[in-house]
Amino acid sequence: MIRRAALTMLLGAAALQAAAQDTPSLAKAYEGRLKIGAAIEPSQLTSAEAPLLAAHFNSIVAENVMKPADIQPKEGAYNFGPADKLVAYAHGQGMAMRGHTLLWHLRTPAWMWTDREGKPATRELVLARLKSHIDTVVGRYKGAVYAWDVVNEVIDDKQPNCLRKDKWFAAVGDDYIEQAFRYAHAADPKARLYINDYSTEEPAKRQCLERVVKGLIARGVPVHGVGHQMHVSVFGPSAEAIDESLSTFARLGLENQVTELDVSLYRYQAKSLSDSEDTLLRLQGERYAALMKVFLAHPELRAVTLWGISDSHTWLNHGEYEGRHDSPLPFDRRQQPKPAYTGMLNAAKNNLR
Ligand code: GLA
């Protein structure tokens, strides 16, 4: 009996998986208009999520393995293996590959900040190391990575100059962003270069980002687009605020990309769900549809990347969110399509001709 039950379960799981792959492909639904991407770890290339990745996505980005401390943990000693796997997969599948990220206030290796005698590194040394990092990483993936998040989360609207008061700013001064873009452009003149950040729809943040980007453009810095992380929830921010932010940067002649989309079921900082999961999943479906509609209204926006594939692997249940049972992606923990998937698919059907 037990063996029979186990067999039925196994067959059931296989049938379910087949069903998920047979559902219309998200990537196909948006083909020619938007790339549909996923952030992944190399392990997901062979996990239960792999068939979904191949069927529904046509772009990937490294969730972690291209971050500075991951790819250059010791000065000059690069760990390219995991990133190479992703690049090879993308190439083999004919998928696009984004690069994330060359400079961030987090996941920067500690060696960046001291010299060989243990003294604080000078501006010159930090810039030389940044240049070497960017030359090496962008150079290695030249032609394979079509767009880079050159800098991530550099804006702080609480600062009078709009820049985060981090170690980059302390060591280099306010031109470190400009230098990073110039190094990246020199290493791969064809790559599209992005400034990536969160909460870009909040007015103060948006205005600061606009001010910084305008400054870059005025100085002739090769910045091509704004990456909007878009870690949002069922409850906000509003589609109108997002639309307004996208328009702000489109007016500057820049590209927009949605780079880290997921839709949490939780209210901001809540520890428990505020409604039944079924209700929230339905609202989540409507939310995905509404967001995709806004994105499609922006011709300068040609790629939407989700921060994961299915609810079985998401950062929203770990670290500061430990203890939550969040389900932010279009496929559930058994890799089955959710209302969020249907919302995405319907948005393509209803808004594309
Ligand atoms: C930020 C970063 C991402 C990722 C998420 C959380 O959005 O840009 O690389 O670390 O946080 O996982």
Side-chain angles (χ1 to χ4, degrees), residues 63-64 67 100 104 152-153 196 229 231 260 307 315:
E63 182 179 356
N64 287 299
K67 290 175 179 171
H100 175 84
W104 192 18
N152 192 32
E153 304 180 345
N196 195 48
Q229 290 188 359
H231 295 294
E260 307 185 17
W307 209 245
W315 70 294

Side-chain angles (χ1 to χ4, degrees), residues 6-271:
L7 189 67
T8 317
M9 257 178 66
L10 261 175
L11 286 175
L16 279 176
Q17 199 160 76
Q21 287 164 63
D22 293 343
T23 50
S25 160
L26 291 175
K28 286 223 171 69
Y30 286 93
E31 201 160 37
R33 178 61 187 86
L34 286 181
K35 291 186 183 65
I36 301 295
I40 59 167
E41 297 285 8
S43 61
Q44 288 171 282
L45 298 178
T46 49
S47 76
E49 293 174 289
L52 285 181
L53 179 63
H56 293 281
F57 297 85
N58 53 10
S59 175
I60 58 169
V61 64
E63 182 179 356
N64 287 299
V65 300
M66 282 192 181
K67 290 175 179 171
D70 298 77
I71 206 161
Q72 195 186 178
K74 284 196 204 144
E75 186 164 17
Y78 286 84
N79 179 27
F80 285 127
D84 284 358
K85 270 194 195 160
L86 299 187
V87 173
Y89 172 84
H91 183 73
Q93 298 277 330
M95 292 186 183
M97 176 98 209
R98 299 190 84 254
H100 175 84
T101 177
L102 299 170
L103 185 154
W104 192 18
H105 62 103
L106 298 173
R107 302 291 307 148
T108 302
W111 57 257
M112 182 63 77
W113 311 116
T114 48
D115 67 13
R116 288 211 179 82
E117 280 119 49
K119 289 198 295 248
T122 60
R123 163 182 158 92
E124 287 66 35
L125 181 58
V126 170
L127 281 178
R129 285 170 168 170
L130 177 64
K131 178 170 189 321
S132 163
H133 181 82
I134 292 179
D135 277 352
T136 308
V137 176
V138 175
R140 183 178 185 86
Y141 300 118
K142 188 175 177 175
V145 167
Y146 83 100
W148 279 99
D149 292 333
V150 177
V151 298
N152 192 32
E153 304 180 345
V154 295
I155 303 298
D156 180 354
D157 55 65
K158 304 284 182 302
Q159 304 302 327
N161 66 356
C162 289
L163 296 182
R164 184 184 289 275
K165 262 192 162 171
D166 61 5
K167 292 187 175 172
W168 290 105
F169 181 73
V172 178
D174 63 5
D175 65 331
Y176 75 91
I177 301 173
E178 163 169 355
Q179 303 297 350
F181 275 90
R182 292 196 189 281
Y183 300 153
H185 186 60
D188 184 354
K190 292 210 177 115
R192 307 306 288 167
L193 304 181
Y194 280 77
I195 178 168
N196 195 48
D197 219 313
Y198 59 88
S199 301
T200 54
E201 73 293 330
E202 284 177 8
K205 185 84 179 254
R206 187 190 74 221
Q207 282 155 19
C208 260
L209 182 55
E210 184 184 15
R211 178 172 143 192
V212 169
V213 169
K214 274 185 168 166
L216 293 172
I217 295 172
R219 291 194 297 282
V221 177
V223 53
H224 306 125
V226 173
H228 305 261
Q229 290 188 359
M230 210 67 66
H231 295 294
V232 299
S233 91
V234 160
F235 305 99
S238 73
E240 290 73 20
I242 292 168
D243 187 33
E244 199 175 329
S245 173
L246 295 173
S247 297
T248 300
F249 299 104
R251 277 195 296 270
L252 300 182
L254 294 169
E255 299 166 14
N256 284 300
Q257 283 198 0
V258 173
T259 54
E260 307 185 17
L261 174 64
D262 47 23
V263 179
S264 172
L265 300 183
Y266 287 77
R267 286 183 188 275
Y268 184 60
Q269 291 189 336
K271 297 239 180 312

